[in-house]
Amino acid sequence: MVLLLTLDAGFDSQANKDIIKAHHMKPVIYPNRRNTKTPIVIARMFRWFDRDLYRLRYKVERTFGWQDTYRKLVVSYDRLPEIRKGCRLLAYSMINFRVTFNTS
């Protein structure tokens, strides 16, 4: 089983990749195009990049963004973990309902 670590382009450096590999994980980091000018170098950077795994990261980030819409439900005002979990599940079900039955 391979552990994956997905990060933004801001973490794209050889030092970060070496640290991730030293911890027996596979880095999935979006290549940073700032320091490259030629298309061949950019294509070489994307050769080992796994877009499908990075798209899964986007889905998780988008869910967290939607969760901010229902901040009153998600923010923990209660001390009981059951109530906090119930509020989070209610927020996620409202997000799923909105996405599934959106008519626009």
Side-chain angles (χ1 to χ4, degrees), residues 63-78:
T63 303
F64 288 150
W66 285 339
Q67 180 178 328
D68 289 342
T69 305
Y70 301 101
R71 184 168 294 280
K72 293 283 184 184
L73 290 175
V74 177
V75 173
S76 305
Y77 293 112
D78 296 305

Side-chain angles (χ1 to χ4, degrees), residues 67 70 73-76 81-95:
Q67 180 178 328
Y70 301 101
L73 290 175
V74 177
V75 173
S76 305
E82 294 86 9
I83 294 176
R84 281 184 280 179
K85 184 177 179 182
C87 289
R88 283 193 186 103
L89 291 175
L90 179 62
Y92 290 140
S93 62
M94 291 171 72
I95 290 168

